[in-house]
PDB file of all heavy atoms in Angstrom:
ATOM      1  N   GLY K   1      -9.885  -3.130   1.682  1.00  0.00           N
ATOM      2  CA  GLY K   1      -9.233  -4.370   1.989  1.00  0.00           C
ATOM      3  C   GLY K   1      -7.745  -4.184   2.425  1.00  0.00           C
ATOM      4  O   GLY K   1      -7.114  -3.227   2.154  1.00  0.00           O
ATOM      5  N   VAL K   2      -7.309  -5.240   3.165  1.00  0.00           N
ATOM      6  CA  VAL K   2      -5.887  -5.284   3.612  1.00  0.00           C
ATOM      7  C   VAL K   2      -5.364  -6.616   3.541  1.00  0.00           C
ATOM      8  O   VAL K   2      -6.098  -7.614   3.605  1.00  0.00           O
ATOM      9  CB  VAL K   2      -5.674  -4.655   5.067  1.00  0.00           C
ATOM     10  CG1 VAL K   2      -5.964  -3.260   5.138  1.00  0.00           C
ATOM     11  CG2 VAL K   2      -6.534  -5.501   6.065  1.00  0.00           C
ATOM     12  N   SER K   3      -4.106  -6.827   3.360  1.00  0.00           N
ATOM     13  CA  SER K   3      -3.398  -8.084   3.307  1.00  0.00           C
ATOM     14  C   SER K   3      -2.020  -7.897   3.869  1.00  0.00           C
ATOM     15  O   SER K   3      -1.255  -7.055   3.375  1.00  0.00           O
ATOM     16  CB  SER K   3      -3.387  -8.620   1.851  1.00  0.00           C
ATOM     17  OG  SER K   3      -2.782  -9.913   1.809  1.00  0.00           O
ATOM     18  N   TYR K   4      -1.693  -8.682   4.912  1.00  0.00           N
ATOM     19  CA  TYR K   4      -0.422  -8.596   5.551  1.00  0.00           C
ATOM     20  C   TYR K   4       0.466  -9.785   5.322  1.00  0.00           C
ATOM     21  O   TYR K   4       0.071 -10.930   5.619  1.00  0.00           O
ATOM     22  CB  TYR K   4      -0.608  -8.364   7.093  1.00  0.00           C
ATOM     23  CG  TYR K   4       0.725  -8.065   7.846  1.00  0.00           C
ATOM     24  CD1 TYR K   4       1.291  -6.852   7.725  1.00  0.00           C
ATOM     25  CD2 TYR K   4       1.237  -9.025   8.610  1.00  0.00           C
ATOM     26  CE1 TYR K   4       2.474  -6.526   8.476  1.00  0.00           C
ATOM     27  CE2 TYR K   4       2.435  -8.754   9.351  1.00  0.00           C
ATOM     28  CZ  TYR K   4       3.032  -7.506   9.255  1.00  0.00           C
ATOM     29  OH  TYR K   4       4.181  -7.283   9.910  1.00  0.00           O
ATOM     30  N   VAL K   5       1.620  -9.624   4.636  1.00  0.00           N
ATOM     31  CA  VAL K   5       2.431 -10.752   4.395  1.00  0.00           C
ATOM     32  C   VAL K   5       3.903 -10.334   4.349  1.00  0.00           C
ATOM     33  O   VAL K   5       4.222  -9.231   3.835  1.00  0.00           O
ATOM     34  CB  VAL K   5       2.082 -11.329   3.034  1.00  0.00           C
ATOM     35  CG1 VAL K   5       2.138 -10.381   1.924  1.00  0.00           C
ATOM     36  CG2 VAL K   5       2.919 -12.569   2.706  1.00  0.00           C
ATOM     37  N   ASP K   6       4.750 -11.174   4.907  1.00  0.00           N
ATOM     38  CA  ASP K   6       6.221 -10.848   4.997  1.00  0.00           C
ATOM     39  C   ASP K   6       6.525  -9.409   5.523  1.00  0.00           C
ATOM     40  O   ASP K   6       7.356  -8.694   5.006  1.00  0.00           O
ATOM     41  CB  ASP K   6       6.850 -10.956   3.527  1.00  0.00           C
ATOM     42  CG  ASP K   6       6.864 -12.467   3.051  1.00  0.00           C
ATOM     43  OD1 ASP K   6       6.630 -13.334   3.865  1.00  0.00           O
ATOM     44  OD2 ASP K   6       6.949 -12.590   1.861  1.00  0.00           O
ATOM     45  N   LYS K   7       5.761  -9.078   6.567  1.00  0.00           N
ATOM     46  CA  LYS K   7       5.992  -7.794   7.259  1.00  0.00           C
ATOM     47  C   LYS K   7       5.573  -6.611   6.388  1.00  0.00           C
ATOM     48  O   LYS K   7       6.119  -5.432   6.608  1.00  0.00           O
ATOM     49  CB  LYS K   7       7.383  -7.571   7.749  1.00  0.00           C
ATOM     50  CG  LYS K   7       7.721  -8.697   8.810  1.00  0.00           C
ATOM     51  CD  LYS K   7       9.154  -8.442   9.325  1.00  0.00           C
ATOM     52  CE  LYS K   7       9.564  -9.479  10.361  1.00  0.00           C
ATOM     53  NZ  LYS K   7      10.935  -9.323  10.889  1.00  0.00           N
ATOM     54  N   ILE K   8       4.861  -6.782   5.337  1.00  0.00           N
ATOM     55  CA  ILE K   8       4.368  -5.700   4.459  1.00  0.00           C
ATOM     56  C   ILE K   8       2.812  -5.679   4.452  1.00  0.00           C
ATOM     57  O   ILE K   8       2.154  -6.736   4.326  1.00  0.00           O
ATOM     58  CB  ILE K   8       4.787  -5.977   2.970  1.00  0.00           C
ATOM     59  CG1 ILE K   8       6.354  -5.930   2.823  1.00  0.00           C
ATOM     60  CG2 ILE K   8       4.179  -4.978   2.053  1.00  0.00           C
ATOM     61  CD1 ILE K   8       6.974  -4.567   3.184  1.00  0.00           C
ATOM     62  N   LEU K   9       2.226  -4.507   4.678  1.00  0.00           N
ATOM     63  CA  LEU K   9       0.829  -4.367   4.620  1.00  0.00           C
ATOM     64  C   LEU K   9       0.408  -3.789   3.284  1.00  0.00           C
ATOM     65  O   LEU K   9       0.812  -2.687   2.796  1.00  0.00           O
ATOM     66  CB  LEU K   9       0.410  -3.374   5.678  1.00  0.00           C
ATOM     67  CG  LEU K   9      -1.187  -3.060   5.778  1.00  0.00           C
ATOM     68  CD1 LEU K   9      -1.943  -4.303   6.198  1.00  0.00           C
ATOM     69  CD2 LEU K   9      -1.419  -1.859   6.669  1.00  0.00           C
ATOM     70  N   TRP K  10      -0.413  -4.533   2.493  1.00  0.00           N
ATOM     71  CA  TRP K  10      -1.041  -4.076   1.291  1.00  0.00           C
ATOM     72  C   TRP K  10      -2.441  -3.561   1.630  1.00  0.00           C
ATOM     73  O   TRP K  10      -3.170  -4.294   2.332  1.00  0.00           O
ATOM     74  CB  TRP K  10      -1.071  -5.159   0.256  1.00  0.00           C
ATOM     75  CG  TRP K  10       0.247  -5.823  -0.134  1.00  0.00           C
ATOM     76  CD1 TRP K  10       0.809  -6.893   0.428  1.00  0.00           C
ATOM     77  CD2 TRP K  10       1.135  -5.305  -1.134  1.00  0.00           C
ATOM     78  NE1 TRP K  10       2.009  -7.111  -0.162  1.00  0.00           N
ATOM     79  CE2 TRP K  10       2.221  -6.175  -1.087  1.00  0.00           C
ATOM     80  CE3 TRP K  10       1.135  -4.274  -2.012  1.00  0.00           C
ATOM     81  CZ2 TRP K  10       3.316  -6.021  -2.012  1.00  0.00           C
ATOM     82  CZ3 TRP K  10       2.219  -4.088  -2.872  1.00  0.00           C
ATOM     83  CH2 TRP K  10       3.278  -4.962  -2.853  1.00  0.00           C
ATOM     84  N   ALA K  11      -2.841  -2.465   1.102  1.00  0.00           N
ATOM     85  CA  ALA K  11      -4.227  -1.967   1.435  1.00  0.00           C
ATOM     86  C   ALA K  11      -4.841  -1.273   0.190  1.00  0.00           C
ATOM     87  O   ALA K  11      -4.132  -0.771  -0.684  1.00  0.00           O
ATOM     88  CB  ALA K  11      -4.075  -0.860   2.566  1.00  0.00           C
ATOM     89  N   THR K  12      -6.133  -1.402   0.161  1.00  0.00           N
ATOM     90  CA  THR K  12      -6.879  -0.831  -1.001  1.00  0.00           C
ATOM     91  C   THR K  12      -8.057   0.115  -0.524  1.00  0.00           C
ATOM     92  O   THR K  12      -8.557  -0.028   0.612  1.00  0.00           O
ATOM     93  CB  THR K  12      -7.540  -1.921  -1.879  1.00  0.00           C
ATOM     94  OG1 THR K  12      -8.236  -2.834  -1.043  1.00  0.00           O
ATOM     95  CG2 THR K  12      -6.460  -2.689  -2.598  1.00  0.00           C
ATOM     96  N   THR K  13      -8.409   1.003  -1.377  1.00  0.00           N
ATOM     97  CA  THR K  13      -9.497   1.960  -1.067  1.00  0.00           C
ATOM     98  C   THR K  13     -10.281   2.123  -2.365  1.00  0.00           C
ATOM     99  O   THR K  13      -9.981   1.640  -3.445  1.00  0.00           O
ATOM    100  CB  THR K  13      -8.976   3.316  -0.667  1.00  0.00           C
ATOM    101  OG1 THR K  13      -8.509   4.087  -1.840  1.00  0.00           O
ATOM    102  CG2 THR K  13      -7.859   3.215   0.386  1.00  0.00           C
ATOM    103  N   TYR K  14     -11.339   2.966  -2.315  1.00  0.00           N
ATOM    104  CA  TYR K  14     -12.070   3.276  -3.468  1.00  0.00           C
ATOM    105  C   TYR K  14     -11.395   4.328  -4.375  1.00  0.00           C
ATOM    106  O   TYR K  14     -11.900   4.643  -5.453  1.00  0.00           O
ATOM    107  CB  TYR K  14     -13.499   3.804  -3.160  1.00  0.00           C
ATOM    108  CG  TYR K  14     -14.489   2.813  -2.754  1.00  0.00           C
ATOM    109  CD1 TYR K  14     -15.608   3.071  -1.983  1.00  0.00           C
ATOM    110  CD2 TYR K  14     -14.294   1.473  -3.134  1.00  0.00           C
ATOM    111  CE1 TYR K  14     -16.550   2.107  -1.634  1.00  0.00           C
ATOM    112  CE2 TYR K  14     -15.214   0.452  -2.835  1.00  0.00           C
ATOM    113  CZ  TYR K  14     -16.361   0.776  -2.120  1.00  0.00           C
ATOM    114  OH  TYR K  14     -17.288  -0.082  -1.689  1.00  0.00           O
ATOM    115  N   PHE K  15     -10.249   4.789  -3.929  1.00  0.00           N
ATOM    116  CA  PHE K  15      -9.540   5.875  -4.601  1.00  0.00           C
ATOM    117  C   PHE K  15      -8.044   5.594  -4.800  1.00  0.00           C
ATOM    118  O   PHE K  15      -7.190   6.540  -4.767  1.00  0.00           O
ATOM    119  CB  PHE K  15      -9.773   7.219  -3.978  1.00  0.00           C
ATOM    120  CG  PHE K  15     -11.232   7.630  -3.984  1.00  0.00           C
ATOM    121  CD1 PHE K  15     -12.011   7.281  -2.876  1.00  0.00           C
ATOM    122  CD2 PHE K  15     -11.736   8.328  -5.027  1.00  0.00           C
ATOM    123  CE1 PHE K  15     -13.379   7.704  -2.803  1.00  0.00           C
ATOM    124  CE2 PHE K  15     -13.128   8.729  -4.976  1.00  0.00           C
ATOM    125  CZ  PHE K  15     -13.910   8.447  -3.959  1.00  0.00           C
ATOM    126  N   GLY K  16      -7.685   4.319  -4.864  1.00  0.00           N
ATOM    127  CA  GLY K  16      -6.272   3.934  -4.998  1.00  0.00           C
ATOM    128  C   GLY K  16      -5.846   2.820  -4.058  1.00  0.00           C
ATOM    129  O   GLY K  16      -6.638   2.392  -3.200  1.00  0.00           O
ATOM    130  N   ALA K  17      -4.592   2.408  -4.210  1.00  0.00           N
ATOM    131  CA  ALA K  17      -4.118   1.384  -3.311  1.00  0.00           C
ATOM    132  C   ALA K  17      -2.735   1.774  -2.774  1.00  0.00           C
ATOM    133  O   ALA K  17      -2.186   2.782  -3.195  1.00  0.00           O
ATOM    134  CB  ALA K  17      -4.094   0.071  -4.107  1.00  0.00           C
ATOM    135  N   CYS K  18      -2.197   1.013  -1.843  1.00  0.00           N
ATOM    136  CA  CYS K  18      -0.941   1.413  -1.259  1.00  0.00           C
ATOM    137  C   CYS K  18      -0.194   0.193  -0.586  1.00  0.00           C
ATOM    138  O   CYS K  18      -0.827  -0.852  -0.328  1.00  0.00           O
ATOM    139  CB  CYS K  18      -1.098   2.491  -0.248  1.00  0.00           C
ATOM    140  SG  CYS K  18      -2.348   2.238   1.055  1.00  0.00           S
ATOM    141  N   ARG K  19       1.074   0.413  -0.253  1.00  0.00           N
ATOM    142  CA  ARG K  19       1.893  -0.561   0.391  1.00  0.00           C
ATOM    143  C   ARG K  19       2.619   0.129   1.570  1.00  0.00           C
ATOM    144  O   ARG K  19       3.174   1.235   1.404  1.00  0.00           O
ATOM    145  CB  ARG K  19       2.906  -1.121  -0.586  1.00  0.00           C
ATOM    146  CG  ARG K  19       3.940  -2.127  -0.080  1.00  0.00           C
ATOM    147  CD  ARG K  19       4.987  -2.367  -1.230  1.00  0.00           C
ATOM    148  NE  ARG K  19       5.902  -3.381  -0.821  1.00  0.00           N
ATOM    149  CZ  ARG K  19       7.072  -3.241  -0.295  1.00  0.00           C
ATOM    150  NH1 ARG K  19       7.423  -1.895   0.140  1.00  0.00           N
ATOM    151  NH2 ARG K  19       7.932  -4.238  -0.037  1.00  0.00           N
ATOM    152  N   TYR K  20       2.703  -0.542   2.739  1.00  0.00           N
ATOM    153  CA  TYR K  20       3.288   0.011   3.889  1.00  0.00           C
ATOM    154  C   TYR K  20       4.361  -1.015   4.377  1.00  0.00           C
ATOM    155  O   TYR K  20       3.996  -2.162   4.696  1.00  0.00           O
ATOM    156  CB  TYR K  20       2.276   0.295   4.945  1.00  0.00           C
ATOM    157  CG  TYR K  20       2.839   0.921   6.253  1.00  0.00           C
ATOM    158  CD1 TYR K  20       3.460   2.133   6.212  1.00  0.00           C
ATOM    159  CD2 TYR K  20       2.641   0.250   7.437  1.00  0.00           C
ATOM    160  CE1 TYR K  20       4.079   2.661   7.351  1.00  0.00           C
ATOM    161  CE2 TYR K  20       3.138   0.900   8.620  1.00  0.00           C
ATOM    162  CZ  TYR K  20       3.900   2.066   8.564  1.00  0.00           C
ATOM    163  OH  TYR K  20       4.312   2.574   9.728  1.00  0.00           O
ATOM    164  N   ASP K  21       5.584  -0.524   4.528  1.00  0.00           N
ATOM    165  CA  ASP K  21       6.672  -1.385   5.027  1.00  0.00           C
ATOM    166  C   ASP K  21       7.013  -1.235   6.504  1.00  0.00           C
ATOM    167  O   ASP K  21       8.041  -1.765   6.891  1.00  0.00           O
ATOM    168  CB  ASP K  21       7.933  -1.238   4.105  1.00  0.00           C
ATOM    169  CG  ASP K  21       8.526   0.123   4.216  1.00  0.00           C
ATOM    170  OD1 ASP K  21       8.034   0.968   5.045  1.00  0.00           O
ATOM    171  OD2 ASP K  21       9.449   0.391   3.457  1.00  0.00           O
ATOM    172  N   GLY K  22       6.147  -0.510   7.190  1.00  0.00           N
ATOM    173  CA  GLY K  22       6.460  -0.266   8.582  1.00  0.00           C
ATOM    174  C   GLY K  22       7.064   1.161   8.839  1.00  0.00           C
ATOM    175  O   GLY K  22       7.043   1.591   9.974  1.00  0.00           O
ATOM    176  N   ARG K  23       7.440   1.693   7.703  1.00  0.00           N
ATOM    177  CA  ARG K  23       8.010   3.065   7.857  1.00  0.00           C
ATOM    178  C   ARG K  23       7.514   4.006   6.748  1.00  0.00           C
ATOM    179  O   ARG K  23       7.199   5.136   6.925  1.00  0.00           O
ATOM    180  CB  ARG K  23       9.531   3.054   7.813  1.00  0.00           C
ATOM    181  CG  ARG K  23      10.188   4.405   7.999  1.00  0.00           C
ATOM    182  CD  ARG K  23      11.720   4.322   8.078  1.00  0.00           C
ATOM    183  NE  ARG K  23      12.306   5.612   8.250  1.00  0.00           N
ATOM    184  CZ  ARG K  23      13.645   5.759   8.395  1.00  0.00           C
ATOM    185  NH1 ARG K  23      14.409   4.782   8.283  1.00  0.00           N
ATOM    186  NH2 ARG K  23      14.107   7.030   8.541  1.00  0.00           N
ATOM    187  N   HIS K  24       7.522   3.435   5.509  1.00  0.00           N
ATOM    188  CA  HIS K  24       7.060   4.249   4.345  1.00  0.00           C
ATOM    189  C   HIS K  24       5.794   3.705   3.731  1.00  0.00           C
ATOM    190  O   HIS K  24       5.601   2.515   3.572  1.00  0.00           O
ATOM    191  CB  HIS K  24       8.266   4.241   3.340  1.00  0.00           C
ATOM    192  CG  HIS K  24       9.485   4.805   3.786  1.00  0.00           C
ATOM    193  ND1 HIS K  24      10.575   3.947   4.229  1.00  0.00           N
ATOM    194  CD2 HIS K  24       9.926   6.106   4.067  1.00  0.00           C
ATOM    195  CE1 HIS K  24      11.582   4.742   4.583  1.00  0.00           C
ATOM    196  NE2 HIS K  24      11.196   5.905   4.586  1.00  0.00           N
ATOM    197  N   TRP K  25       4.961   4.635   3.208  1.00  0.00           N
ATOM    198  CA  TRP K  25       3.817   4.297   2.399  1.00  0.00           C
ATOM    199  C   TRP K  25       4.149   4.625   0.977  1.00  0.00           C
ATOM    200  O   TRP K  25       4.892   5.481   0.668  1.00  0.00           O
ATOM    201  CB  TRP K  25       2.658   5.221   2.792  1.00  0.00           C
ATOM    202  CG  TRP K  25       2.002   4.898   4.144  1.00  0.00           C
ATOM    203  CD1 TRP K  25       2.279   5.529   5.345  1.00  0.00           C
ATOM    204  CD2 TRP K  25       0.965   3.930   4.360  1.00  0.00           C
ATOM    205  NE1 TRP K  25       1.533   4.916   6.317  1.00  0.00           N
ATOM    206  CE2 TRP K  25       0.724   3.992   5.829  1.00  0.00           C
ATOM    207  CE3 TRP K  25       0.276   3.054   3.552  1.00  0.00           C
ATOM    208  CZ2 TRP K  25      -0.228   3.228   6.399  1.00  0.00           C
ATOM    209  CZ3 TRP K  25      -0.672   2.267   4.190  1.00  0.00           C
ATOM    210  CH2 TRP K  25      -0.943   2.323   5.598  1.00  0.00           C
ATOM    211  N   ARG K  26       3.631   3.694   0.073  1.00  0.00           N
ATOM    212  CA  ARG K  26       3.778   3.811  -1.324  1.00  0.00           C
ATOM    213  C   ARG K  26       2.386   3.683  -2.006  1.00  0.00           C
ATOM    214  O   ARG K  26       1.760   2.658  -1.776  1.00  0.00           O
ATOM    215  CB  ARG K  26       4.698   2.834  -1.924  1.00  0.00           C
ATOM    216  CG  ARG K  26       4.686   2.674  -3.434  1.00  0.00           C
ATOM    217  CD  ARG K  26       5.199   3.900  -4.167  1.00  0.00           C
ATOM    218  NE  ARG K  26       5.651   3.622  -5.486  1.00  0.00           N
ATOM    219  CZ  ARG K  26       4.836   3.677  -6.589  1.00  0.00           C
ATOM    220  NH1 ARG K  26       3.566   4.090  -6.433  1.00  0.00           N
ATOM    221  NH2 ARG K  26       5.258   3.445  -7.781  1.00  0.00           N
ATOM    222  N   GLY K  27       1.891   4.724  -2.609  1.00  0.00           N
ATOM    223  CA  GLY K  27       0.513   4.697  -3.294  1.00  0.00           C
ATOM    224  C   GLY K  27       0.661   4.155  -4.671  1.00  0.00           C
ATOM    225  O   GLY K  27       1.672   4.335  -5.362  1.00  0.00           O
ATOM    226  N   PHE K  28      -0.458   3.559  -5.188  1.00  0.00           N
ATOM    227  CA  PHE K  28      -0.618   3.078  -6.527  1.00  0.00           C
ATOM    228  C   PHE K  28      -1.856   3.601  -7.150  1.00  0.00           C
ATOM    229  O   PHE K  28      -2.902   3.419  -6.581  1.00  0.00           O
ATOM    230  CB  PHE K  28      -0.618   1.508  -6.565  1.00  0.00           C
ATOM    231  CG  PHE K  28       0.579   0.886  -5.892  1.00  0.00           C
ATOM    232  CD1 PHE K  28       0.395   0.242  -4.674  1.00  0.00           C
ATOM    233  CD2 PHE K  28       1.829   0.912  -6.492  1.00  0.00           C
ATOM    234  CE1 PHE K  28       1.412  -0.347  -3.985  1.00  0.00           C
ATOM    235  CE2 PHE K  28       2.908   0.321  -5.849  1.00  0.00           C
ATOM    236  CZ  PHE K  28       2.755  -0.334  -4.576  1.00  0.00           C
ATOM    237  N   PHE K  29      -1.721   4.254  -8.287  1.00  0.00           N
ATOM    238  CA  PHE K  29      -2.813   4.864  -8.949  1.00  0.00           C
ATOM    239  C   PHE K  29      -2.928   4.563 -10.472  1.00  0.00           C
ATOM    240  O   PHE K  29      -1.892   4.320 -11.052  1.00  0.00           O
ATOM    241  CB  PHE K  29      -2.807   6.372  -8.732  1.00  0.00           C
ATOM    242  CG  PHE K  29      -2.806   6.809  -7.235  1.00  0.00           C
ATOM    243  CD1 PHE K  29      -1.559   7.061  -6.669  1.00  0.00           C
ATOM    244  CD2 PHE K  29      -3.997   6.828  -6.532  1.00  0.00           C
ATOM    245  CE1 PHE K  29      -1.509   7.417  -5.335  1.00  0.00           C
ATOM    246  CE2 PHE K  29      -3.932   7.207  -5.210  1.00  0.00           C
ATOM    247  CZ  PHE K  29      -2.705   7.512  -4.560  1.00  0.00           C
ATOM    248  N   LYS K  30      -4.108   4.625 -11.050  1.00  0.00           N
ATOM    249  CA  LYS K  30      -4.255   4.329 -12.470  1.00  0.00           C
ATOM    250  C   LYS K  30      -3.386   5.189 -13.301  1.00  0.00           C
ATOM    251  O   LYS K  30      -2.900   4.839 -14.308  1.00  0.00           O
ATOM    252  CB  LYS K  30      -5.771   4.370 -12.779  1.00  0.00           C
ATOM    253  CG  LYS K  30      -5.943   4.068 -14.262  1.00  0.00           C
ATOM    254  CD  LYS K  30      -7.462   4.181 -14.649  1.00  0.00           C
ATOM    255  CE  LYS K  30      -7.685   3.917 -16.045  1.00  0.00           C
ATOM    256  NZ  LYS K  30      -9.104   3.992 -16.414  1.00  0.00           N
ATOM    257  N   GLN K  31      -3.375   6.493 -12.990  1.00  0.00           N
ATOM    258  CA  GLN K  31      -2.649   7.503 -13.702  1.00  0.00           C
ATOM    259  C   GLN K  31      -1.134   7.220 -13.817  1.00  0.00           C
ATOM    260  O   GLN K  31      -0.520   7.665 -14.796  1.00  0.00           O
ATOM    261  CB  GLN K  31      -2.827   8.839 -13.091  1.00  0.00           C
ATOM    262  CG  GLN K  31      -2.115   9.038 -11.758  1.00  0.00           C
ATOM    263  CD  GLN K  31      -2.461  10.335 -11.122  1.00  0.00           C
ATOM    264  OE1 GLN K  31      -3.580  10.968 -11.332  1.00  0.00           O
ATOM    265  NE2 GLN K  31      -1.577  10.927 -10.366  1.00  0.00           N
ATOM    266  N   GLU K  32      -0.609   6.389 -12.937  1.00  0.00           N
ATOM    267  CA  GLU K  32       0.838   5.941 -13.047  1.00  0.00           C
ATOM    268  C   GLU K  32       1.001   4.919 -14.125  1.00  0.00           C
ATOM    269  O   GLU K  32       2.104   4.576 -14.513  1.00  0.00           O
ATOM    270  CB  GLU K  32       1.324   5.437 -11.740  1.00  0.00           C
ATOM    271  CG  GLU K  32       1.294   6.433 -10.673  1.00  0.00           C
ATOM    272  CD  GLU K  32       1.743   5.897  -9.286  1.00  0.00           C
ATOM    273  OE1 GLU K  32       1.663   4.687  -9.046  1.00  0.00           O
ATOM    274  OE2 GLU K  32       2.186   6.641  -8.435  1.00  0.00           O
TER     275      GLU K  32
END
């Protein structure tokens, strides 16, 4: 899945999720 709002791309996978601001990616994981 993806969701684009306020120039930010949120994305999900079967192995984690992430946020992209046009330059940097930030991953999100359960272990965090």
Side-chain angles (χ1 to χ4, degrees):
V2 293
S3 183
Y4 186 74
V5 58
D6 294 343
K7 298 182 179 180
I8 296 296
L9 179 68
W10 302 94
T12 52
T13 77
Y14 280 161
F15 298 91
C18 52
R19 176 186 186 271
Y20 181 60
D21 63 7
R23 183 176 181 182
H24 300 104
W25 287 94
R26 166 69 162 89
F28 305 107
F29 303 94
K30 180 181 179 180
Q31 66 187 31
E32 296 177 337

